[in-house]
Amino acid sequence: MIIKAENLSKIYHGITVLDQVSISCTEGNICGVLGANGAGKTTLFRILMGLVSPNSGTVKIYSDTVKPMGGIIEKPALYEYLNAYENLNLFARIQNLKLKKAEIGECLHAVGLPVGRKDAVKNYSMGMKQRLSIAIALLNNPSCLVLDEPFSGLDPMGIEELRRLILKLAKERNIGVLISSHIIDQLQKVCDYLYVMKEGRIINKGSTSEIIATNVKHYTIYAKNIQESVAVRQYAPILAKDSAKISIESKEVTALIKEMFKEGIEVTSFIPELDMDRLFSKNY
């Protein structure tokens, strides 16, 4: 266990922003917090980072490192007129960390940024700024990384690159990672565990696979000549070219794919479509 928060509540101007929220994350795991804008995700992360005090509840961090937690809240906070090297050097000094030039280069390389680039970060893409902010957050080797809406403003390639980086950091450094987003597609491909927030409360939680399996509305299957499949037709599919949309229980999916294989039809992908009304209506 890296971080454990229990029964966090926060009230602003008489409005309850967080209501008895409990959340935790362990070493090497990536936990997602899913919720619409205004659900309380940023307030929760500010409390976890020690930037805001809760009205009630506790946060325990199990780490003996110099900086137990690093993170990005809302958006990258960079000195836009400085280059990447200068930003890292400045933030390192703020954190009482003296880095040699080669060490700063290693920090940039670790997040996939060019080491020799000299221009100001105002010229960087949003994805590159996110990577630089993560490099800064990783200074002093924190045990937990908190990323508030890190995919916001990124193009599809930038999202995929950032996903790969987060997975790599969790695996290679064995750090806990907490990520928030209002889009489940961005979280389901990277998170081991999901918390679903609505109006300041955790209303749904579980492993990502469990959340997906219990809240799927339809699946779309992609395969050549899928319209010829007898196995698929029993589910009254909505057919398109090389695809079929069906309603099926998650436990039946494997058996269906095997039946299609016997028919000589090879499935290229099997995409779940979540029932968002169901996902956001459960209450734990």
Side-chain angles (χ1 to χ4, degrees), residues 41-273:
K41 304 186 302 295
T42 296
T43 300
L44 171 61
F45 279 15
R46 285 182 175 276
I47 291 173
L48 297 180
M49 290 287 294
L51 301 174
V52 172
S53 297
N55 290 96
S56 61
T58 59
V59 177
K60 295 180 180 179
I61 301 172
Y62 303 89
S63 173
D64 56 4
T65 59
V66 174
K67 186 177 74 173
M69 299 183 67
I72 306 170
I73 304 296
E74 294 188 294
K75 62 180 181 179
L78 302 168
Y79 292 94
E80 298 262 325
Y81 60 90
L82 299 178
N83 62 33
Y85 176 93
E86 292 166 336
N87 265 276
L88 263 172
N89 190 41
L90 178 57
F91 279 100
R93 287 163 53 198
I94 291 172
Q95 297 181 37
N96 295 316
L97 184 63
K98 295 181 180 180
L99 295 179
K100 298 177 181 178
K101 185 175 181 179
E103 292 173 321
I104 294 177
E106 290 173 3
C107 292
L108 292 171
H109 179 73
V111 296
L113 286 176
V115 176
R117 187 161 173 171
K118 303 296 184 183
D119 58 320
V121 299
K122 65 181 179 182
N123 300 322
Y124 282 21
S125 67
M126 179 56 72
M128 295 179 72
K129 290 178 181 178
Q130 287 285 23
R131 287 171 174 270
L132 179 56
S133 293
I134 290 174
I136 292 168
L138 290 172
L139 290 171
N140 271 318
N141 298 313
S143 300
C144 187
L145 186 63
V146 175
L147 303 175
D148 184 26
E149 295 278 1
F151 303 110
S152 181
L154 301 187
D155 58 26
M157 183 177 292
I159 290 172
E160 183 57 34
E161 289 175 347
L162 186 55
R163 279 197 201 110
R164 288 198 296 266
L165 173 60
I166 293 168
L167 288 165
K168 178 183 177 183
L169 291 172
K171 180 179 179 181
E172 294 184 357
R173 300 197 180 201
N174 197 38
I175 62 175
V177 182
L178 281 164
I179 310 175
S180 73
S181 178
H182 60 282
I183 302 174
I184 192 167
D185 288 348
Q186 296 175 348
L187 295 180
Q188 69 182 54
K189 296 178 181 178
V190 72
C191 295
D192 304 294
Y193 198 90
L194 286 178
Y195 293 91
V196 181
M197 286 191 74
K198 182 179 180 181
E199 298 175 352
R201 300 181 66 226
I202 300 293
I203 62 166
N204 205 334
K205 62 182 179 179
S207 70
T208 304
S209 58
E210 290 172 347
I211 292 289
I212 299 301
T214 57
N215 293 281
V216 168
K217 185 176 184 179
H218 302 289
Y219 286 91
T220 300
I221 316 169
Y222 293 89
K224 286 187 177 181
N225 303 318
I226 195 170
Q227 66 277 5
E228 299 176 6
S229 172
V230 175
V232 169
R233 283 204 295 271
Q234 66 179 314
Y235 292 97
I238 299 173
L239 294 169
K241 180 176 173 57
D242 296 333
S243 72
K245 185 175 182 179
I246 63 172
S247 294
I248 183 175
E249 294 292 327
S250 59
K251 60 185 178 182
E252 300 176 10
V253 168
T254 300
L256 174 58
I257 293 175
K258 288 181 179 178
E259 287 300 314
M260 293 176 67
F261 181 77
K262 290 178 182 178
E263 295 174 333
I265 298 174
E266 185 175 349
V267 174
T268 55
S269 60
F270 210 95
I271 310 299
E273 177 187 331

